[in-house]
Amino acid sequence: NRYVYRMGLEIGRQCQRLGITVNFAPVADINSNPRNPIIGLRSFGEDRDNVTDKAAAYMKGLQHRHVIATAKHFPGHGDTDSDSHFTLPVLSHSSERLTETDLYPFRKLIADSLTGIITGHLYVPVLDNTPLLASSLSEKVVTDLLKKQMGFQGLVFTDAMNMQGVSKGRTAVEANVKALLAGNDILLYPESVAETIKRIKDGVTKGTIAPEVIDEKVRKILRAKYWLGLNRDLIINPETLNSDLQTPAFRALTRDLCEQAVTLVHNENQLLPIAALDTCTFASIAIGGGGINLFQQTLSRY
């Protein structure tokens, strides 16, 4: 976990150097369905506590660099067997399992001062059984559960609004307005932006959208910008960008992360680490590889 924290610190440093203030990470989904086509290795794993600990470490690294971390995809995309880019996945868990598994990392991160959350385009009947309604558009999920019950006060982003999981059965403008009224503060990748702005203005004028709803979101965004230091001029010097990113400390951390991530699953006859160099020779086969790969190059040094 301490390596993940160091990774978060370094990514936060690089974000700052580039002028990036929000990172759409960490993934807080628990990869509990092996048939999940979209989460997979984006998750820290299938163990609830391990996912929570590593997501928290990544979050803290980013936030200690004053970069907004956004846990995703609330209320949990890990146990689905379809991709919300193309359809509306169904999460058919009971409320008990949802509480003890999917929501667990988000609850822990919120208690640990999480700055942002991304709402997923999921259909979760136990939370809101309105037909074809993505959880990102549900007031029951975004406002009642996330904000009121779980006490989240940070920025709420939608997942990309051009994904088919949220756009089925409604226009882009309808989806955008519904996402705002559900409790989201910022729409990610919305379509029909100019028409949506006009619809929101008309709604405020006609009284179908309370001005206080918009005011609250604006205040939250301004508070976040102040925390990020955006009340001061943000000057990004491109001259030394590459050398500032590719520091020796960055390269050393990358090597450490790779070494720590390698897992030895089996070691029959204690072949590793290679010891009997005076009596052994080696042959290596790379199936499906083009040319000599790095593993083979390293092995040839023996």
Side-chain angles (χ1 to χ4, degrees):
N1 295 341
R2 71 179 185 273
Y3 285 97
V4 177
Y5 171 72
R6 288 173 56 197
M7 179 192 76
L9 276 177
E10 175 60 20
I11 291 174
R13 183 191 72 83
Q14 294 199 15
C15 283
Q16 279 191 325
R17 181 62 185 86
L18 290 161
I20 295 171
T21 55
V22 180
N23 187 5
F24 293 130
V27 171
D29 301 315
I30 301 167
N31 191 41
S32 52
N33 188 339
R35 295 183 301 277
N36 195 314
I38 187 60
I39 300 303
L41 53 72
R42 299 171 70 193
S43 166
F44 280 113
E46 65 278 0
D47 180 81
R48 180 190 77 169
D49 295 305
N50 183 54
V51 169
T52 301
D53 291 345
K54 287 179 170 54
Y58 190 1
M59 172 198 77
K60 288 176 183 176
L62 290 172
Q63 293 180 176
H64 287 171
R65 294 291 192 192
H66 276 244
V67 172
I68 290 176
T70 55
K72 59 185 182 184
H73 307 79
F74 184 87
H77 205 321
D79 192 12
T80 60
D81 57 6
S82 56
D83 183 349
S84 52
H85 289 87
F86 307 111
T87 187
L88 182 60
V90 178
L91 189 65
S92 55
H93 288 180
S94 66
S95 57
E96 291 78 15
R97 182 173 176 184
L98 197 69
T99 299
E100 293 302 315
T101 305
D102 304 89
L103 292 174
Y104 182 86
F106 296 100
R107 189 182 309 110
K108 290 291 186 180
L109 294 178
I110 289 169
D112 209 357
S113 301
L114 175 67
T115 48
I117 271 182
I118 290 180
T119 55
H121 305 320
L122 310 163
Y123 181 53
V124 191
V126 73
L127 297 179
D128 191 336
N129 61 3
T130 305
L132 297 178
L133 183 67
S135 51
S136 52
L137 305 185
S138 168
E139 186 176 357
K140 292 180 180 178
V141 175
V142 182
T143 295
D144 296 345
L145 175 61
L146 176 60
K147 292 184 171 181
K148 293 181 179 178
Q149 292 183 36
M150 299 178 70
F152 183 63
Q153 298 179 21
L155 288 177
V156 183
F157 298 77
T158 67
D159 207 347
M161 292 299 292
N162 64 340
M163 292 165 59
Q164 293 180 38
V166 72
S167 60
K168 275 192 173 182
R170 56 184 60 86
T171 67
V173 175
E174 290 170 343
N176 292 340
V177 173
K178 198 165 186 61
L180 287 175
L181 294 178
N184 296 282
D185 301 309
I186 298 176
L187 308 186
L188 173 60
Y189 217 138
E191 297 180 322
S192 303
V193 174
E195 191 180 347
T196 298
I197 292 173
K198 183 179 183 303
R199 181 76 63 87
I200 294 169
K201 286 183 176 179
D202 290 345
V204 171
T205 302
K206 294 175 182 177
T208 56
I209 298 176
E212 294 79 16
V213 170
I214 307 300
D215 290 344
E216 181 206 7
K217 300 178 191 305
V218 172
R219 286 194 197 96
K220 288 176 70 174
I221 292 168
L222 289 174
R223 280 199 300 268
K225 286 185 173 185
Y226 187 83
W227 180 78
L228 292 166
L230 295 179
N231 54 317
R232 302 182 298 274
D233 289 339
L234 183 64
I235 300 172
I236 304 300
N237 176 20
E239 298 296 327
T240 60
L241 193 59
N242 189 58
S243 59
D244 288 347
L245 295 176
Q246 304 282 341
T247 62
F250 158 72
R251 290 194 291 271
L253 175 59
T254 301
R255 182 182 179 88
D256 287 346
L257 287 165
C258 291
E259 288 182 351
Q260 291 297 322
V262 171
T263 300
L264 180 60
V265 180
H266 293 291
N267 193 15
E268 295 179 10
N269 301 321
Q270 299 300 305
L271 291 176
L272 299 175
I274 297 170
L277 298 178
D278 55 338
T279 58
C280 290
T281 55
F282 306 96
S284 64
I285 300 173
I287 299 173
I292 303 298
N293 62 37
L294 183 60
F295 175 82
Q296 291 174 300
Q297 291 174 14
T298 305
L299 188 62
S300 67
R301 296 174 186 166
Y302 285 88

